Structure formats: C-alpha cells, structure tokens
Amino acid sequence: MSTARAERLVNLVLALLSTRQYLTADRIRGIVPGYADAASDEAFSRMFERDKTELRELGIPLETGRNSAFDPAEGYRIARRDYELGEIELAPDEAAAVGLAVRLWDSPEMTGQAQGALVKLRAAGVEVDHTEPPVVESRVRAEPAFTPLVAAVQAHQAVQFSYRRSGSAERLTRTLEPWGVVSWRARWYVVGHDRDRAAPRCFRLSRIVGDVRTVGRPGEVQRPENVNLLELIAGTGEPEPSPVTTAKLWIADHRAAGVRRRARLTGRMTVDGVPGDLAEIDLYFPESAADWIAGHGPDVLVLEPDVLAKAVRGRLESILHHEVRR
C-alpha cells in the first residue's frame, strides 16, 4: 500500500469516527485529504469504493444510512462502540505467552501482523515482554509459496503454479482462485476454486514447485459466503495416514501439554530428580517429529526409537552451540 493511500485511509477513519451523523460521499470528498486529487467524479468513486472495501477487510465496522428520511443519498460513519477496543486483561503467564507467540513466526507477513498486535496490546496498557530469550527458539516456518498466496488472497486474484502430487514426481500446472491459506495438521494448505477441475480443491504448500504466478486482474476472485476452509481440507484433503512408528517418551509433570494431548500414558518415572510420566505416541511424520519434540526442550525425553532420540539431541545441541556463539 502506498504512503498516500495509507494516509488517506487514516484520515477517512478519523473523519468517520468524529461524527455521529452519516457523511455522504460528496461531503467526505470535500473534507478528507487525498480525495481532492481525483481527476473526475468517476475516479473519485472508484477510489472511494476501494477504500471502503479495504476498511471492511481490515475489520473496521463501516455503517451506512441516512440522517433522515428526506436525505437523498446514503452516508457513512463508524460507531465508536463497535470500533474501539474493549478493556484487555491478561494474566502475567498469558502476556508471556503472547510475547512468545510473536517470536514464533518466521514469515515476513505474519511477523508484521504479530508485531502489530503487540503494539495494540501495549497501547491498551498490557505489558508484553517478548525480548527475554527462551530456552528453545521455536519457529513456525512457512513454505516459499506462503507469501505470494497470501498476497493473492488479499488481492482477490487467481494464481497459477506447478504442483507435485503425493507419491509422484509428475508436476501438473494448476490454476486456482484462492479463498484462503490455512494450517491443518501442522501443514499449510491453500484452498480455493480449481479452474482446471471446476470444483473446490485444496493444495499443500510444500508440494508447490517453483514460483506462484498471478493470473488475471485483482478483484476478480470472490470467496463464497459461509465457506469453512478447514472443513474443505478435512473433507477433500489427503486421507489420514497410518502411523509410521510408535515413540516412547518421558514427559515432565505439568509440562508439554501439546505432547500429552496426543500421547498415551503408560507409567511413571523420575529423571534427574524430576518426576514425570512415561508415554507412547504414534508418529505419522517421523521426519518432522524431531523438530516438534525438541521444541519442548528438557520437558520431553525420547526413550525409543534411538534414531529419534539422537535426532532430538542433535537439534538441542545445535541450539545450545548457537546460543554459546552469541
């Protein structure tokens, strides 16, 4: 977004917040800086329509209505009761969790949005410390296709890409009208209308090969109302794989809740004076399990299989070595 447009949107929001009456488009054109630069009435109309769409996509509650039955044209305003942020109360541990979540993203788009949320929380008086280094530096990594696909979703523009199907080296070209990018079972998917199949489809981002190219003009893609992207992935996505292996773990008491939810407790054991539970967990993607388990640091210990234990230990030693060098 250009600086001029960003300033115009801010001025538009301020104008609509500062009045209890509905402001007509002509009135807004006269008082909001930036609209006077429109070369014609038609140019202003297009500019104003784009700005209204932008505000609604940002979640700003734009109201339309007339001040009286005698007004010939509709006006616009923003009700403070719907716009202003309510009081935020976070316990210290909740604030710490927010700060950690900001650090998890390893994607430019999501990092910017996370930092923006952090600024809003601080403006509301919530102290969130995200500078304290954690024991393990976890990262939520996005695929290379993540950035252009999110941009295409926001621009309502179709895309085209090469896609590798499961269990095959063959690459097929797909043309998709993207509705959204979501995470499902620890993997990223793009969901939309597949023009080649003439039906809704979902594609795993890790199987997109090469660049994602835009097709057509922005604004041509319309997401259907009341569509649930997660339900589409669950219903049309890949079948649930069978577990590849079963790992035996030790989990410290009251720690690693994410691992506990997926594990079966089988007994008790104390490790270095720390009590914990013995557990078994079915692994569907062993190649990524080491990163996931290592993210829990000393709270989870892999007992079997030995290859997984070595992989987790290697990742923790790498992190330790990195911290020492810093």
Side-chain angles (χ1 to χ4, degrees):
M1 183 185 299
S2 66
T3 302
R5 186 182 180 192
E7 291 178 352
R8 188 175 70 244
L9 287 174
V10 171
N11 289 325
L12 176 59
V13 170
L14 291 176
L16 297 178
L17 276 173
S18 301
T19 179
R20 293 184 179 180
Q21 294 185 335
Y22 294 100
L23 300 180
T24 64
D26 289 339
R27 177 62 175 158
I28 290 172
R29 184 179 184 181
I31 64 176
V32 175
Y35 288 125
D37 299 333
S40 63
D41 292 345
E42 183 179 352
F44 162 72
S45 179
R46 291 197 301 268
M47 185 186 303
F48 186 47
E49 288 299 322
R50 287 196 300 268
D51 288 351
K52 288 191 297 180
T53 300
E54 184 75 24
L55 293 184
R56 291 191 173 103
E57 290 181 348
L58 290 172
I60 297 177
L62 194 63
E63 292 185 346
T64 60
R66 291 182 170 85
N67 296 313
S68 72
F70 302 100
D71 287 341
E74 283 191 336
Y76 307 88
R77 72 179 182 186
I78 299 174
R80 286 185 174 271
R81 66 181 183 277
D82 298 328
Y83 178 76
E84 292 180 340
L85 186 64
E87 184 177 356
I88 298 177
E89 295 182 0
L90 293 180
D93 58 338
E94 294 173 327
V98 171
L100 178 59
V102 171
R103 303 185 60 177
L104 290 178
W105 286 100
D106 196 17
S107 166
E109 282 71 22
M110 300 310 297
T111 298
Q113 294 183 26
Q115 293 293 343
L118 199 61
V119 170
K120 293 180 181 180
L121 287 172
R122 284 176 174 159
V126 178
E127 283 300 323
V128 180
D129 184 8
H130 72 295
T131 61
E132 185 67 22
V135 177
V136 177
E137 186 71 18
S138 300
R139 289 287 178 184
V140 178
R141 289 184 170 84
E143 307 293 341
F146 182 91
T147 298
L149 286 174
V150 169
V153 170
Q154 294 174 339
H156 301 282
Q157 189 171 12
V159 294
Q160 194 172 74
F161 50 81
S162 296
Y163 190 74
R164 176 179 56 83
R165 293 185 299 181
S166 176
S168 172
E170 182 183 6
R171 300 178 183 179
L172 302 176
T173 300
R174 292 296 186 197
T175 303
L176 183 73
E177 298 176 2
W179 298 337
V181 178
V182 294
S183 177
W184 172 254
R185 298 189 184 277
R187 297 185 184 275
W188 287 104
Y189 292 84
V190 58
V191 185
H193 176 76
D194 187 344
R195 290 181 177 177
D196 303 294
R197 300 287 183 84
R201 288 291 188 272
C202 60
F203 298 91
R204 189 195 295 183
L205 267 60
S206 62
R207 291 185 180 149
I208 294 178
V209 182
D211 297 332
V212 175
R213 303 171 298 280
T214 55
V215 178
R217 294 177 299 176
E220 291 183 340
V221 175
Q222 296 297 324
R223 173 176 168 174
E225 296 184 2
N226 302 321
V227 64
N228 188 312
L229 301 184
L230 289 177
E231 287 184 357
L232 285 176
I233 295 176
T236 64
E238 301 168 347
E240 181 72 17
S242 300
V244 175
T245 187
T246 298
K248 295 183 179 181
L249 313 172
W250 170 84
I251 309 173
D253 283 346
H254 312 298
R255 309 294 293 180
V259 177
R260 288 180 176 276
R261 281 196 294 269
R262 295 182 53 183
R264 301 181 298 274
L265 301 184
T266 59
R268 297 281 297 173
M269 187 172 75
T270 299
V271 176
D272 293 335
V274 179
D277 294 312
L278 292 173
E280 293 182 349
I281 185 169
D282 294 329
L283 298 180
Y284 296 88
F285 306 102
E287 69 278 4
S288 61
D291 289 329
W292 177 57
I293 295 174
H296 293 86
D299 297 328
V300 179
L301 176 66
V302 178
L303 304 177
E304 295 180 11
D306 186 60
V307 63
L308 179 60
K310 290 181 179 179
V312 172
R313 185 164 57 250
R315 283 159 172 77
L316 294 175
E317 290 175 351
S318 176
I319 294 170
L320 180 60
H321 178 68
H322 177 72
E323 291 296 326
V324 170
R325 291 184 60 185
R326 291 175 58 184

